[in-house]
PDB file of all heavy atoms in Angstrom:
ATOM      1  N   VAL A 135     -14.910  45.598 128.937  1.00  0.00           N
ATOM      2  CA  VAL A 135     -14.165  45.228 127.749  1.00  0.00           C
ATOM      3  C   VAL A 135     -13.183  44.093 128.161  1.00  0.00           C
ATOM      4  O   VAL A 135     -13.103  43.095 127.375  1.00  0.00           O
ATOM      5  CB  VAL A 135     -13.337  46.399 127.164  1.00  0.00           C
ATOM      6  CG1 VAL A 135     -12.506  45.953 126.013  1.00  0.00           C
ATOM      7  CG2 VAL A 135     -14.304  47.513 126.679  1.00  0.00           C
ATOM      8  N   LEU A 136     -12.610  44.163 129.296  1.00  0.00           N
ATOM      9  CA  LEU A 136     -11.710  43.089 129.756  1.00  0.00           C
ATOM     10  C   LEU A 136     -12.480  41.847 129.922  1.00  0.00           C
ATOM     11  O   LEU A 136     -12.043  40.764 129.531  1.00  0.00           O
ATOM     12  CB  LEU A 136     -11.080  43.512 131.121  1.00  0.00           C
ATOM     13  CG  LEU A 136     -10.115  42.493 131.718  1.00  0.00           C
ATOM     14  CD1 LEU A 136      -8.914  42.200 130.855  1.00  0.00           C
ATOM     15  CD2 LEU A 136      -9.689  42.955 133.119  1.00  0.00           C
ATOM     16  N   LEU A 137     -13.669  41.876 130.519  1.00  0.00           N
ATOM     17  CA  LEU A 137     -14.487  40.709 130.762  1.00  0.00           C
ATOM     18  C   LEU A 137     -14.975  40.104 129.394  1.00  0.00           C
ATOM     19  O   LEU A 137     -15.034  38.882 129.213  1.00  0.00           O
ATOM     20  CB  LEU A 137     -15.681  40.993 131.661  1.00  0.00           C
ATOM     21  CG  LEU A 137     -15.337  41.291 133.123  1.00  0.00           C
ATOM     22  CD1 LEU A 137     -16.592  41.659 133.870  1.00  0.00           C
ATOM     23  CD2 LEU A 137     -14.731  40.103 133.739  1.00  0.00           C
ATOM     24  N   LEU A 138     -15.265  40.964 128.483  1.00  0.00           N
ATOM     25  CA  LEU A 138     -15.656  40.478 127.155  1.00  0.00           C
ATOM     26  C   LEU A 138     -14.439  39.769 126.464  1.00  0.00           C
ATOM     27  O   LEU A 138     -14.648  38.727 125.873  1.00  0.00           O
ATOM     28  CB  LEU A 138     -16.112  41.716 126.282  1.00  0.00           C
ATOM     29  CG  LEU A 138     -16.493  41.361 124.854  1.00  0.00           C
ATOM     30  CD1 LEU A 138     -17.749  40.474 124.823  1.00  0.00           C
ATOM     31  CD2 LEU A 138     -16.701  42.630 124.079  1.00  0.00           C
ATOM     32  N   LEU A 139     -13.276  40.334 126.554  1.00  0.00           N
ATOM     33  CA  LEU A 139     -12.064  39.695 126.003  1.00  0.00           C
ATOM     34  C   LEU A 139     -11.817  38.334 126.669  1.00  0.00           C
ATOM     35  O   LEU A 139     -11.627  37.325 126.022  1.00  0.00           O
ATOM     36  CB  LEU A 139     -10.840  40.611 126.096  1.00  0.00           C
ATOM     37  CG  LEU A 139      -9.538  39.994 125.649  1.00  0.00           C
ATOM     38  CD1 LEU A 139      -9.614  39.700 124.160  1.00  0.00           C
ATOM     39  CD2 LEU A 139      -8.381  40.946 125.957  1.00  0.00           C
ATOM     40  N   VAL A 140     -11.869  38.309 127.997  1.00  0.00           N
ATOM     41  CA  VAL A 140     -11.533  37.042 128.734  1.00  0.00           C
ATOM     42  C   VAL A 140     -12.648  36.056 128.397  1.00  0.00           C
ATOM     43  O   VAL A 140     -12.284  34.838 128.136  1.00  0.00           O
ATOM     44  CB  VAL A 140     -11.518  37.317 130.259  1.00  0.00           C
ATOM     45  CG1 VAL A 140     -11.447  36.049 131.041  1.00  0.00           C
ATOM     46  CG2 VAL A 140     -10.255  38.179 130.586  1.00  0.00           C
ATOM     47  N   THR A 141     -13.886  36.410 128.374  1.00  0.00           N
ATOM     48  CA  THR A 141     -14.936  35.505 127.998  1.00  0.00           C
ATOM     49  C   THR A 141     -14.772  34.985 126.569  1.00  0.00           C
ATOM     50  O   THR A 141     -14.961  33.732 126.304  1.00  0.00           O
ATOM     51  CB  THR A 141     -16.329  36.178 128.166  1.00  0.00           C
ATOM     52  OG1 THR A 141     -16.451  36.681 129.457  1.00  0.00           O
ATOM     53  CG2 THR A 141     -17.502  35.234 127.781  1.00  0.00           C
ATOM     54  N   SER A 142     -14.441  35.845 125.650  1.00  0.00           N
ATOM     55  CA  SER A 142     -14.211  35.437 124.264  1.00  0.00           C
ATOM     56  C   SER A 142     -13.100  34.415 124.171  1.00  0.00           C
ATOM     57  O   SER A 142     -13.171  33.392 123.444  1.00  0.00           O
ATOM     58  CB  SER A 142     -13.916  36.644 123.385  1.00  0.00           C
ATOM     59  OG  SER A 142     -14.998  37.528 123.410  1.00  0.00           O
ATOM     60  N   LEU A 143     -11.954  34.716 124.843  1.00  0.00           N
ATOM     61  CA  LEU A 143     -10.811  33.860 124.805  1.00  0.00           C
ATOM     62  C   LEU A 143     -11.180  32.485 125.446  1.00  0.00           C
ATOM     63  O   LEU A 143     -10.778  31.427 124.897  1.00  0.00           O
ATOM     64  CB  LEU A 143      -9.667  34.450 125.581  1.00  0.00           C
ATOM     65  CG  LEU A 143      -8.997  35.657 124.894  1.00  0.00           C
ATOM     66  CD1 LEU A 143      -7.963  36.280 125.857  1.00  0.00           C
ATOM     67  CD2 LEU A 143      -8.327  35.243 123.603  1.00  0.00           C
ATOM     68  N   LEU A 144     -11.964  32.480 126.483  1.00  0.00           N
ATOM     69  CA  LEU A 144     -12.347  31.274 127.151  1.00  0.00           C
ATOM     70  C   LEU A 144     -13.258  30.404 126.185  1.00  0.00           C
ATOM     71  O   LEU A 144     -13.037  29.193 126.085  1.00  0.00           O
ATOM     72  CB  LEU A 144     -13.074  31.563 128.461  1.00  0.00           C
ATOM     73  CG  LEU A 144     -13.504  30.330 129.249  1.00  0.00           C
ATOM     74  CD1 LEU A 144     -12.213  29.535 129.685  1.00  0.00           C
ATOM     75  CD2 LEU A 144     -14.254  30.804 130.529  1.00  0.00           C
ATOM     76  N   ILE A 145     -14.215  31.063 125.536  1.00  0.00           N
ATOM     77  CA  ILE A 145     -15.128  30.361 124.642  1.00  0.00           C
ATOM     78  C   ILE A 145     -14.337  29.749 123.456  1.00  0.00           C
ATOM     79  O   ILE A 145     -14.503  28.543 123.122  1.00  0.00           O
ATOM     80  CB  ILE A 145     -16.198  31.272 124.120  1.00  0.00           C
ATOM     81  CG1 ILE A 145     -17.228  31.576 125.290  1.00  0.00           C
ATOM     82  CG2 ILE A 145     -16.960  30.712 122.933  1.00  0.00           C
ATOM     83  CD1 ILE A 145     -18.195  32.657 124.996  1.00  0.00           C
ATOM     84  N   ILE A 146     -13.390  30.557 122.885  1.00  0.00           N
ATOM     85  CA  ILE A 146     -12.603  30.042 121.743  1.00  0.00           C
ATOM     86  C   ILE A 146     -11.717  28.921 122.249  1.00  0.00           C
ATOM     87  O   ILE A 146     -11.608  27.863 121.566  1.00  0.00           O
ATOM     88  CB  ILE A 146     -11.759  31.198 121.192  1.00  0.00           C
ATOM     89  CG1 ILE A 146     -12.686  32.212 120.475  1.00  0.00           C
ATOM     90  CG2 ILE A 146     -10.712  30.683 120.187  1.00  0.00           C
ATOM     91  CD1 ILE A 146     -12.039  33.504 120.148  1.00  0.00           C
ATOM     92  N   TYR A 147     -11.110  29.044 123.423  1.00  0.00           N
ATOM     93  CA  TYR A 147     -10.283  27.966 123.979  1.00  0.00           C
ATOM     94  C   TYR A 147     -11.053  26.698 124.118  1.00  0.00           C
ATOM     95  O   TYR A 147     -10.628  25.629 123.738  1.00  0.00           O
ATOM     96  CB  TYR A 147      -9.632  28.450 125.289  1.00  0.00           C
ATOM     97  CG  TYR A 147      -8.833  27.322 125.950  1.00  0.00           C
ATOM     98  CD1 TYR A 147      -7.547  26.969 125.451  1.00  0.00           C
ATOM     99  CD2 TYR A 147      -9.334  26.606 127.012  1.00  0.00           C
ATOM    100  CE1 TYR A 147      -6.859  25.944 126.065  1.00  0.00           C
ATOM    101  CE2 TYR A 147      -8.581  25.636 127.592  1.00  0.00           C
ATOM    102  CZ  TYR A 147      -7.361  25.315 127.121  1.00  0.00           C
ATOM    103  OH  TYR A 147      -6.602  24.283 127.705  1.00  0.00           O
ATOM    104  N   LEU A 148     -12.215  26.809 124.788  1.00  0.00           N
ATOM    105  CA  LEU A 148     -13.058  25.585 125.037  1.00  0.00           C
ATOM    106  C   LEU A 148     -13.519  24.948 123.711  1.00  0.00           C
ATOM    107  O   LEU A 148     -13.549  23.744 123.561  1.00  0.00           O
ATOM    108  CB  LEU A 148     -14.248  25.903 125.873  1.00  0.00           C
ATOM    109  CG  LEU A 148     -13.891  26.295 127.311  1.00  0.00           C
ATOM    110  CD1 LEU A 148     -15.180  26.750 128.029  1.00  0.00           C
ATOM    111  CD2 LEU A 148     -13.318  25.048 128.039  1.00  0.00           C
ATOM    112  N   PHE A 149     -13.878  25.790 122.759  1.00  0.00           N
ATOM    113  CA  PHE A 149     -14.280  25.253 121.396  1.00  0.00           C
ATOM    114  C   PHE A 149     -13.130  24.425 120.794  1.00  0.00           C
ATOM    115  O   PHE A 149     -13.352  23.311 120.345  1.00  0.00           O
ATOM    116  CB  PHE A 149     -14.633  26.447 120.471  1.00  0.00           C
ATOM    117  CG  PHE A 149     -14.832  25.996 119.042  1.00  0.00           C
ATOM    118  CD1 PHE A 149     -16.019  25.313 118.714  1.00  0.00           C
ATOM    119  CD2 PHE A 149     -13.916  26.136 118.117  1.00  0.00           C
ATOM    120  CE1 PHE A 149     -16.249  24.902 117.395  1.00  0.00           C
ATOM    121  CE2 PHE A 149     -14.082  25.707 116.824  1.00  0.00           C
ATOM    122  CZ  PHE A 149     -15.247  25.119 116.442  1.00  0.00           C
TER     123      PHE A 149
END
Side-chain angles (χ1 to χ4, degrees):
V135 175
L136 179 63
L137 291 175
L138 179 66
L139 176 63
V140 170
T141 303
S142 300
L143 289 172
L144 184 61
I145 289 169
I146 292 167
Y147 175 76
L148 291 173
F149 172 79

